[in-house]
Amino acid sequence: MNRILFVGPVTHHHLLRFTTNLFRYSDLLVDALLVNYLKISDSPYNKIFNPFCNRRFFKSVKNPIVFFRLVFIIFKMNKYDVIQFHFFSKMYLLLLPFLVSKGRFISIFIWGSDFYRNSFLSKFVLKCFIYFVDEVICDSELMCSDLKKFYPPIQCKIKYLSFGSDVLDIMKKYPITRLEAKNKLSIRKDDIVIVVGYNLSQRQNHLDVIKNISKFERFNLCWVFPISYGGCEEYKKRMIEELAKINCNYKLIDRFLSDEEMSILRYASDIFIHIQDSDAFSSSITESLYARTILLNGEWIKYNELDNNNVYYVNVTKNNLISKLEFVLLNFDAEYGKTIDNPSKVWALKSWECNIKYWIDNYNRI
């Protein structure tokens, strides 16, 4: 039985779900080293090493006292077969010398935000860090390719392994019709639901869509903006001000949705407009495609996995987005018919049921 140590903000919901599925499908032993102060409640880990105190002064690992507590904890640890870092931080480079003697194999999982949305300095530190590790894992084939271009010497270390989605599991277990989902969200049954983006980040380019909403007044539409995380109140206020200038039916979802509520939103969505600046295959994309939502995706965002498996979606540019959206609305039934095979293909690509075995095999081979 391999012993694994996760290092990072280990109470993040993505890591909790990942670890839960590892325990569900294997006998791997997973401990966690917390390096970001986050509230710890019930967790699936065998053990959590926590260097933080409850006092406000000790809530940052940049505090020397917390850092030395962290180092002391590492010295007292037993050895692990695999030490895996998540959600890269420049501070990991300082911890690495202390952790290398505690792990037989050092791995890092690079999230999209670690690579695509970091500063030049952070990318430089990341380049230094990955030089010393044994394995670099990405959740996107495109990011694997971009990393190889970014740092050619590590090509042999890069591996593609996909995360799953708990929402997908719920959608398969508790399927509902589009009309049932709309009714649960108090949306008129005849409205075509258009979801714009999946968080509050300005990079989602909501305003590019909002300024053109008035061009679609002849259609019965409900515009939905999920903005529960990822941005600032100032940008949210600006969105609301722009929406107030036009006569349209819209919903702002600004609270965190449970997996069950997210499942309902996916099933209620007819069209999903995704034109953010970059993306490393967000689960929002796959969940929408599983629900047979028609995806209008910025052509600058490449999903090799979808293309290689002939998953149907519509590529758009910022110049032709409006005309493409109008075409889809005018030919909705025909476009919807083209999505008939999307659920089975997406399930194979992004469900935990289909992907966790590859993670387990990878840990067991080490």
Side-chain angles (χ1 to χ4, degrees):
M1 178 171 57
N2 277 357
R3 299 181 70 248
I4 302 166
L5 177 71
F6 286 167
V7 181
V10 294
T11 55
H12 190 283
H13 64 278
H14 284 316
L15 286 180
L16 292 178
R17 291 169 179 172
F18 177 41
T19 306
T20 298
N21 279 282
L22 284 176
F23 285 148
R24 183 184 301 167
Y25 293 101
S26 76
D27 61 353
L28 294 169
L29 183 71
V30 183
D31 293 344
L33 176 61
L34 187 63
V35 298
N36 291 62
Y37 183 83
L38 292 168
K39 184 178 179 181
I40 300 175
S41 54
D42 293 336
S43 80
Y45 300 108
N46 177 65
K47 182 189 299 183
I48 293 183
F49 299 100
N50 180 14
F52 298 95
C53 303
N54 290 324
R55 298 175 185 174
R56 185 175 181 181
F57 181 71
F58 298 108
K59 289 186 178 181
S60 172
V61 77
K62 295 178 182 178
N63 183 297
I65 295 176
V66 176
F67 185 81
F68 283 114
R69 281 171 57 89
L70 195 58
V71 172
F72 181 71
I73 287 172
I74 292 171
F75 272 120
K76 291 180 64 179
M77 281 180 179
N78 293 320
K79 289 196 174 185
Y80 289 87
D81 296 295
V82 182
I83 295 179
Q84 189 167 79
F85 292 83
H86 288 266
F87 294 103
F88 181 74
S89 165
K90 294 190 287 291
M91 181 268 301
Y92 290 176
L93 195 60
L94 299 177
L95 287 178
L96 190 59
F98 302 102
L99 281 166
V100 288
S101 63
K102 296 296 182 176
R104 185 167 58 84
F105 191 88
I106 308 296
S107 172
I108 180 171
F109 180 84
I110 299 183
W111 300 75
S113 55
D114 294 338
F115 182 66
Y116 290 115
R117 301 178 190 177
N118 263 339
S119 64
F120 174 81
L121 176 59
S122 294
K123 284 187 176 180
F124 175 77
V125 177
L126 175 61
K127 182 181 288 190
C128 296
F129 181 87
I130 59 182
Y131 178 81
F132 294 103
V133 304
D134 300 300
E135 177 185 69
V136 179
I137 301 176
C138 301
D139 186 31
S140 159
E141 290 181 359
L142 177 63
M143 190 160 64
C144 287
S145 176
D146 288 344
L147 261 175
K148 290 175 182 178
K149 295 174 186 175
F150 171 69
Y151 195 27
I154 65 157
Q155 290 194 31
C156 61
K157 298 181 181 181
I158 297 175
K159 183 174 296 184
Y160 167 69
L161 287 172
S162 182
F163 260 44
S165 164
D166 282 5
V167 174
L168 274 186
D169 292 342
I170 292 171
M171 292 175 72
K172 185 172 185 179
K173 189 174 182 179
Y174 304 107
I176 58 175
T177 67
R178 193 85 75 203
L179 289 180
E180 289 172 330
K182 289 179 180 180
N183 183 56
K184 289 178 180 289
L185 296 176
S186 300
I187 296 173
R188 295 175 305 204
K189 65 178 183 179
D190 294 329
D191 283 351
I192 293 178
V193 176
I194 303 179
V195 176
V196 182
Y198 58 81
N199 63 34
L200 184 55
S201 171
Q202 192 167 341
R203 295 167 57 89
Q204 296 281 345
N205 296 309
H206 305 96
L207 297 177
D208 289 347
V209 176
I210 292 173
K211 70 182 181 182
N212 287 292
I213 285 179
S214 59
K215 297 177 181 178
F216 299 94
E217 289 181 348
R218 69 186 188 278
F219 298 100
N220 294 326
L221 306 177
C222 178
W223 300 84
V224 178
F225 299 86
I227 53 170
S228 60
Y229 69 96
C232 63
E233 285 299 314
E234 183 179 346
Y235 181 64
K236 177 182 175 182
K237 182 179 178 181
R238 188 179 171 196
M239 284 180 63
I240 294 173
E241 289 174 348
E242 292 300 317
L243 285 165
K245 295 176 183 178
I246 54 181
N247 180 28
C248 72
N249 177 25
Y250 73 90
K251 287 181 177 289
L252 290 179
I253 301 177
D254 58 1
R255 66 177 182 84
F256 184 80
L257 299 180
S258 68
D259 289 344
E260 291 76 12
E261 291 172 318
M262 187 63 74
S263 171
I264 294 169
L265 175 60
R266 299 298 184 226
Y267 275 126
S269 306
D270 295 296
I271 298 171
F272 179 27
I273 298 177
H274 180 242
I275 55 168
Q276 71 167 327
D277 296 341
S278 63
D279 185 64
F281 213 164
S282 163
S283 58
S284 300
I285 304 299
T286 53
E287 291 155 11
S288 298
L289 290 168
Y290 183 83
R292 296 189 63 188
T293 302
I294 300 170
L295 171 64
L296 272 60
N297 185 67
E299 68 173 13
W300 57 91
I301 306 171
K302 305 298 182 183
Y303 297 122
N304 296 340
E305 299 92 329
L306 298 181
D307 296 336
N308 292 339
N309 288 276
N310 297 313
V311 175
Y312 181 73
Y313 64 98
V314 180
N315 273 317
V316 300
T317 67
K318 289 190 177 180
N319 290 329
N320 70 16
L321 170 63
I322 302 308
S323 62
K324 287 285 186 78
L325 176 56
E326 184 177 30
F327 177 85
V328 169
L329 290 170
L330 290 172
N331 301 274
F332 184 81
D333 290 342
E335 289 296 302
Y336 179 72
K338 297 176 184 178
T339 68
I340 190 168
D341 294 326
N342 281 1
S344 59
K345 293 175 179 178
V346 168
W347 180 260
L349 282 172
K350 284 294 181 177
S351 68
W352 278 122
E353 179 184 294
C354 294
N355 284 283
I356 196 65
K357 60 186 177 184
Y358 300 115
W359 284 92
I360 294 168
D361 288 346
N362 187 59
Y363 288 130
N364 286 331
R365 276 196 300 266
I366 293 171

